[in-house]
């Protein structure tokens, strides 16, 4: 028996050894076997080595090319490099923040704007398209890799930037061991098979997207990477064309599929499993999917970047435990504590605390915050205070009820009201800003006091945060209502916003772009 | 239904979906890059057009290439079946 993987790239090497000729990755344009993927990632590592990258260095990738990201991730692991994959929309100010925060040696992208950021910070910049082309070409002479970089399983392998209760994102650090434990535990629950075709509609900058690469390697399944356009309105057709058997999703993906199936003719006979993360799946979507696809099993899940995955529901467990988000991963425990830190009995609402090898190392260069969120019992044993509130039943099923800070979820992204508000107030002409998190069917609303139009505020924010974080609706008010201690009164604000009609005009900035 | 009718219906649909007025659309406007639509808002746009002009969506016919620009999408609508208007 082969020894379990100690370093992330060993997942790939073991898959390549087991079944070198099975397809590992496919896109609409082509495919790569496990053998080819492993060899290409060695060539990619050789290139990074030539560029001077070594164990412990950081590499930041911001791109939408999933194949390129997979190759870079495995190549980084081979050299002991710590990688961070950012959403392709991370540019300008948000990218500057990441660069200053983790001080990478290398930036990889295809965007000239990213190249400029690299030049300003004296970093090496490489184009992902060129890197991928060379890595895939068997004629590329592979530069010799260092004999043994000396990387340990307890060394960091990835930084995942996530929004928190601070105005700027911070990075969750994962070691090889933590990623491998989490991927293996998730695979034990989801049971991907060697003959599965996993259709990934999520960008690999989203950590559940990237984990599909690891889960597929563990099981020997084929991972099909869908582009944003292919996974949009054509989702049903794309799934059919790829022969998808597994669909890892977020609520918007499942909602879209249910909507399309209602108008379709009951196809997708091969789709056997849908998983859901990001936020709760609606009952109506689940029953619509089950009606249209009798063979489909659904597994809802719950987790946060700080421990990757917290809980997974057994297949169709939502039918016997409606409203639950699952049971803790095998080999981990979740318990509920009250405000005094004491454990609460089953049925009582408190904060979820996670223990186990899935609890990540902490936040990059943020010792105080790490100590607060990852405290050590008796000064020894780390646990994760999730900041998520809910209760556990007698059988261990978890029920999520909400958060008590300013984090909210929209379209599967974890967003911080503080971060969005800070970006709005950085726009010239904005005096103050407050976010009303989404409620029911209403999306998040940004309320501002400003001497520019609401649309100009939204446009201006694009210089400071990623477009997907900007609330779709922005209203201008004369003043933000406050409560006794000077804080924004969100209840009064919600009432005030209700009365304000959406009367913004199309901005000059938008018109200028439309004219091109 | 001609191109101008489709364009008018599209402007109204996008105004609803994006929750802000969208006017003066021209054929070369890109749905992703210029209007910043994503896969969710694209679908909401289809829903709005189902209601307003009775667009009949056949999931098997939806192609990523149709959702590139206002022009490609208008061609797609003109080639689609139009049924009953519900709103």
């Amino acid at each position: 028996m082969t020894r379990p993987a100690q370093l992330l790239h060993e997942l790939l090497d073991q898959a390549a050894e087991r079944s070198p000729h099975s397809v590992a990755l496919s896109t609409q344009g082509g495919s790569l076997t496990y053998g080819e993927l492993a060899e290409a990632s060695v060539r990619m590592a050789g290139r990074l080595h030539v560029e001077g990258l070594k164990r412990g260095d950081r590499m930041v990738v911001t791109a939408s090319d999933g194949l390129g990201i997979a190759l870079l991730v495995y190549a980084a692991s081979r050299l002991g490099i710590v990688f961070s994959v950012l959403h392709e929309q991370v540019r300008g100010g948000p990218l500057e923040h990441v660069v200053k925060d983790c001080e990478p040696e290398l930036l990889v992208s295809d965007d000239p704007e990213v190249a400029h950021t690299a030049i300003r910070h004296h970093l090496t910049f490489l184009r992902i398209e060129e890197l991928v082309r060379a890595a895939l070409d068997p004629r590329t002479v592979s530069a010799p890799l260092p004999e043994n970089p000396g990387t340990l399983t307890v060394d960091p392998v990835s930084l995942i930037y996530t929004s928190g209760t601070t105005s700027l994102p911070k990075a969750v650090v994962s070691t090889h061991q933590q990623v491998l434990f989490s991927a293996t535990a998730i695979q034990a629950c989801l049971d991907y098979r060697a003959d599965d075709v996993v259709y990934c509609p999520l960008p690999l900058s989203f950590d559940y997207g990237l984990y599909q690469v690891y889960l597929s390697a563990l099981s020997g399944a084929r991972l099909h990477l869908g582009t944003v356009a292919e996974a949009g309105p054509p989702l049903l057709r794309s799934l059919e064309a790829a022969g998808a058997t597994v669909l890892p999703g977020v609520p918007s993906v499942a909602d879209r599929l249910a909507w399309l199936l209602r108008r379709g003719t009951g196809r997708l006979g091969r789709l056997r499993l849908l998983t859901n993360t990001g936020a709760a799946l609606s009952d109506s979507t689940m029953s619509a999917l089950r009606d249209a696809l009798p063979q489909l099993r659904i597994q809802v899940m719950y987790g946060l970047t700080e421990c990757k995955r917290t809980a997974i529901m057994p297949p169709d467990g939502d039918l016997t435990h409606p409203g639950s988000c699952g049971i803790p991963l095998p080999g981990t425990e979740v318990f509920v504590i009250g405000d005094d830190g004491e454990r609460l009995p089953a049925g009582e609402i408190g904060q979820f605390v996670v223990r186990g090898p899935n609890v990540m190392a902490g936040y990059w260069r943020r010792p105080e915050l790490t100590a607060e969120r990852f405290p050590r019992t008796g000064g020894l044993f780390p646990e994760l205070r999730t900041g998520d509130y809910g209760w556990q039943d007698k059988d261990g099923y978890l029920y999520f009820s909400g958060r008590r800070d300013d984090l909210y979820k929209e379209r599967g992204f974890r967003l911080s009201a503080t971060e969005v508000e800070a970006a709005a107030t950085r726009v010239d002409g904005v005096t103050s800003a407050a976010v009303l998190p989404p409620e029911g069917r209403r999306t998040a609303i940004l309320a501002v006091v400003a001497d520019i139009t609401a649309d100009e505020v939204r446009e201006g924010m694009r210089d400071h945060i990623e477009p997907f974080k900007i609330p779709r609706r922005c209203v201008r008010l004369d003043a933000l209502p406050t409560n006794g201690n000077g804080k924004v009164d969100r209840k009064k604000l919600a009432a005030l916003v209700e009365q304000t009609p959406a009367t913004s005009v199309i901005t000059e900035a938008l018109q200028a772009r439309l004219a091109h | 239904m001609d191109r101008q009718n489709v364009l008018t219906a599209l402007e109204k649909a996008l105004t609803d979906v994006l929750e802000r007025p969208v006017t003066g659309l021209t054929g070369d406007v890109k749905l992703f890059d210029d209007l910043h639509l994503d896969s969710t808002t694209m679908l909401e746009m289809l829903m709005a057009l189902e209601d307003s002009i009775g667009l009949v969506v056949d999931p098997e016919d939806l192609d990523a290439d149709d959702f590139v620009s206002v022009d490609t999408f208008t061609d797609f609508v003109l080639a689609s079946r139009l049924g009953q208007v519900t709103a």
Side-chain angles (χ1 to χ4, degrees), chain A residues 143-422:
Chain A
L145 295 186
E147 197 71 6
N148 175 10
T151 316
L152 305 179
T153 192
V154 291
D155 279 339
V157 65
S158 82
L159 300 179
I160 302 175
Y161 278 86
T162 178
S163 295
T165 48
T166 49
S167 60
L168 290 168
K170 58 205 183 298
V172 175
V173 182
S174 309
T175 64
H176 290 265
Q177 197 173 44
Q178 288 156 349
V179 174
L180 290 169
F181 173 86
S182 301
T184 308
I186 295 168
Q187 165 61 9
C189 297
L190 302 183
D191 196 19
Y192 286 6
R193 309 193 286 236
D195 60 353
D196 270 325
V197 177
V198 180
Y199 186 96
C200 185
L202 311 165
L204 298 197
S205 54
F206 187 59
D207 64 347
Y208 191 50
L210 190 54
Y211 267 70
Q212 300 308 313
V213 176
Y214 313 149
L215 297 174
S216 301
L218 275 169
S219 59
R222 165 155 77 93
L223 177 61
H224 186 94
L225 301 169
T227 64
V228 178
E230 288 157 16
L235 177 65
L236 196 140
R237 193 173 150 170
S238 303
L239 290 169
E240 190 72 39
T245 62
V246 176
L247 178 62
V250 292
S252 65
V253 171
D255 292 346
R256 195 179 317 143
L257 183 60
W259 188 86
L260 290 165
L261 282 166
R262 249 176 251 136
R263 283 150 184 81
T265 43
R267 302 278 292 276
L268 294 183
R270 300 183 59 190
L271 191 67
R272 67 172 188 86
L273 175 66
L274 173 107
T275 64
N276 179 69
T277 187
L281 210 49
S282 77
D283 290 341
S284 62
T285 289
M286 284 198 274
S287 48
L289 290 173
R290 286 189 167 115
D291 286 348
L293 305 170
Q295 80 288 356
L296 182 75
R297 297 286 165 270
I298 297 176
Q299 283 187 269
V300 300
M301 310 187 291
Y302 151 71
L304 63 167
T305 310
E306 286 81 348
C307 65
K308 178 53 221 163
R309 180 71 43 233
T310 311
I312 298 184
M313 186 66 98
D316 288 346
D318 56 286
L319 297 173
T320 49
H321 292 83
S324 166
C325 53
I327 47 180
L329 288 188
T332 74
E333 74 171 319
V334 177
F335 53 92
V336 181
I337 59 168
D339 290 338
D340 57 1
E342 293 300 311
R343 290 197 189 204
L344 295 174
E348 283 188 38
I349 291 184
Q351 186 179 183
F352 289 151
V353 179
V354 182
R355 290 192 63 228
N358 58 331
V359 171
M360 300 302 173
Y363 299 113
W364 176 258
R365 291 182 182 165
R366 303 292 295 270
E368 297 85 14
L369 195 61
T370 300
E372 186 186 318
R373 296 291 304 279
F374 297 83
R376 285 168 183 265
T377 325
L380 288 171
F381 308 109
E383 57 185 37
L384 170 68
R385 303 274 169 109
T386 63
D388 286 338
Y389 286 72
W391 54 283
Q392 193 164 30
D393 71 13
K394 285 196 170 62
D395 303 322
Y397 285 80
L398 298 170
Y399 295 78
F400 176 83
S401 61
R403 291 190 64 90
R404 287 197 195 161
D405 49 34
D406 70 340
L407 295 185
Y408 62 93
K409 289 267 186 157
E410 196 157 62
R411 283 172 278 170
F413 291 105
R414 176 169 126 183
L415 304 178
S416 150
T418 310
E419 184 189 355
V420 173
E421 287 161 1

Side-chain angles (χ1 to χ4, degrees), chain B residues 1-15:
Chain B
M1 178 154 275
D2 63 20
R3 291 196 88 79
Q4 193 51 50
N5 298 135
V6 175
L7 212 58
T8 309
L10 186 58
E11 284 178 354
K12 192 175 171 303
L14 289 171
T15 298

